[in-house]
Amino acid sequence: MAGFMSQVMGGEISFDPSRIVLTAGATPAIEILCFCLADPGDAFLVPTPYYPGFDRDMTWRTGVELIPVHCHSANNFILSIAALQQAFNQARKRGQRVQGILISNPSNPVGNLLPQKTLHDILDFARKKNIHIISDEIFAGSIHGNEEFFSLAKILDAENFDKSRAHILYGLSKDLSLAGFRVGVIYSYNDDVLAAAKKLTRFSSVSAPTQRLLISLLSDTSFIGRYLETNRKRIRKMYDIFVSGLKEIGVKYVDSSGGLYCWVDMSGLMHSHNVKEELELWDKLLNVAKVNATPGSACHSIEPGWFRCCFTTLSEGNIRIAIERIRKVAEMRKSSR
């Protein structure tokens, strides 16, 4: 797994196998980190929009709370330190203890990559506040654009930061399309966290047959290299087809470089800009057009009208069908004004 992760990151980073804890999927990986880093009632700062599953995976059994840190379309939904500071201060005023920051890089649902400077600033912020950083990098091998990806591991290797507060999440469900295999990774620079995580993973271990299969698969570095390259090219091709269709029907989106989805601005199809109207549009997309997209409010987006559209499960022909169905909803919404 350490070798595979290094290969995914372009061979620029060397991962230490002794700092890896394997879990039955990324869901228990992030839950275990919450158990290790926080007590019930403690909080994590999470930039929005964020993957809706975090609300479930991080809180249900741990008692941890998530504090949304709102990012805006004007800045391409990139996290600002000013927004982090504001959320941190407000939590302190409410009497909440903030134990860490969770970032997704590449972002889910936006698909953008965190700039190197932003990662530096987040690490510096965490040092000043004496809190931890969890970097969810589960889409690191699904980058299809021209932006350069900076893993938190790469930043830590190159700079003199306190590594003990840094933890990376990874898994095989996205980059290798092996969601059913249930394989997640905690990579931590903190010996105490590793010791505790190894005990907790007893309840979510990777099955022996899965381990045997993956040892054979991941050891074939030549195949893995070809697979990753082919996968990235196919994702980019599907992305280009999808956004080309959006342009044709006059729907805006965020230019993205990573992930299996596109962050689409359908606010122009809404009669008023509020969550109720967004969910009404979502209902029309789902039940009239038969297109299932995730509404931005489920991702804690502060701007109504954004939707996450996953395009990688579709064939080229079906992408065009989906665009045509969205077009019909758009025309119906515009004519009803």
Side-chain angles (χ1 to χ4, degrees):
M1 181 62 75
F4 171 69
M5 289 173 65
S6 178
Q7 196 171 0
V8 165
M9 308 295 180
E12 298 179 344
I13 307 161
S14 179
F15 290 93
D16 181 354
S18 69
R19 298 209 164 273
I20 286 178
V21 176
L22 296 177
T23 61
T27 294
I30 196 166
E31 185 188 57
I32 285 171
L33 273 179
C34 288
F35 275 124
C36 291
L37 301 177
D39 292 323
D42 290 346
F44 284 88
L45 304 176
V46 189
T48 69
Y50 64 73
Y51 166 58
F54 288 151
D55 290 322
R56 169 198 65 215
D57 301 343
M58 297 180 70
T59 69
W60 278 7
R61 298 199 298 182
T62 65
V64 166
E65 296 182 27
L66 304 185
I67 299 174
V69 182
H70 293 297
C71 305
H72 302 270
S73 58
N75 193 34
N76 208 36
F77 295 99
I78 292 292
L79 175 65
S80 73
I81 298 303
L84 265 182
Q85 184 67 62
Q86 182 181 20
F88 184 87
N89 291 343
Q90 289 173 346
R92 291 284 292 271
K93 288 178 181 178
R94 293 192 299 267
Q96 283 183 298
R97 186 172 67 158
V98 175
Q99 286 293 79
I101 306 164
L102 170 66
I103 56 175
S104 297
N105 189 27
S107 164
N108 178 10
V110 179
N112 53 17
L113 311 183
L114 284 174
Q116 184 177 16
K117 183 182 184 307
T118 302
L119 287 168
H120 277 263
D121 292 343
I122 293 170
L123 282 163
D124 194 48
F125 180 87
R127 177 187 59 79
K128 290 177 180 176
K129 304 301 181 185
N130 193 30
I131 59 178
H132 293 263
I133 300 173
I134 301 174
S135 182
D136 178 3
E137 301 182 5
I138 199 166
F139 290 99
S142 299
I143 293 161
H144 53 80
N146 296 321
E147 287 184 78
E148 185 177 359
F149 171 68
F150 290 95
S151 169
L152 189 65
K154 184 175 181 179
I155 304 295
L156 291 169
D157 280 354
E159 305 288 343
N160 186 27
F161 287 105
D162 179 6
K163 294 184 178 182
S164 68
R165 64 181 77 253
H167 321 277
I168 295 170
L169 286 172
Y170 189 64
L172 302 185
S173 60
K174 316 302 181 189
D175 292 344
L176 284 184
S177 304
L178 293 176
F181 273 40
R182 309 308 304 146
V183 180
V185 176
I186 297 170
Y187 190 84
S188 179
Y189 297 88
N190 187 306
D191 291 337
D192 292 333
V193 169
L194 288 170
K198 285 174 183 176
K199 291 183 173 70
L200 289 170
T201 198
R202 177 68 180 86
F203 306 101
S204 60
S205 54
V206 181
S207 73
T210 297
Q211 291 185 49
R212 290 291 298 272
L213 284 168
L214 287 174
I215 288 169
S216 177
L217 174 64
L218 300 182
S219 297
D220 189 346
T221 56
S222 178
F223 165 77
I224 291 296
R226 293 195 306 273
Y227 175 90
L228 291 172
E229 182 181 359
T230 301
N231 192 44
R232 288 180 177 124
K233 287 179 179 177
R234 288 180 179 176
I235 294 171
R236 189 65 199 185
K237 182 179 180 182
M238 302 299 272
Y239 172 83
D240 288 341
I241 293 170
F242 183 69
V243 299
S244 177
L246 292 176
K247 289 176 184 176
E248 288 176 12
I249 61 176
V251 173
K252 298 177 181 178
Y253 60 93
V254 172
D255 283 322
S256 61
S257 293
L260 314 177
Y261 37 77
C262 184
W263 189 233
V264 180
D265 181 8
M266 298 195 194
S267 60
L269 310 182
M270 292 164 51
H271 299 150
S272 56
H273 287 75
N274 54 60
V275 172
K276 181 180 178 182
E277 183 71 13
E278 177 186 273
L279 294 177
E280 190 173 311
L281 175 57
W282 169 73
D283 181 71
K284 291 290 187 293
L285 288 167
L286 181 64
N287 294 309
V288 177
K290 305 300 181 184
V291 173
N292 190 13
T294 305
S297 53
C299 306
H300 298 268
S301 175
I302 199 171
E303 300 178 22
W306 289 88
F307 289 80
R308 184 187 71 168
C309 298
C310 298
F311 55 84
T312 44
T313 58
L314 303 176
S315 66
E316 291 182 34
N318 281 339
I319 286 182
R320 294 185 175 92
I321 291 171
I323 292 294
E324 190 57 35
R325 291 181 178 185
I326 295 171
R327 183 204 301 273
K328 289 178 180 178
V329 170
E331 291 173 350
M332 180 179 67
R333 299 285 290 178
K334 288 174 181 176
S335 64
S336 66
R337 286 178 176 174

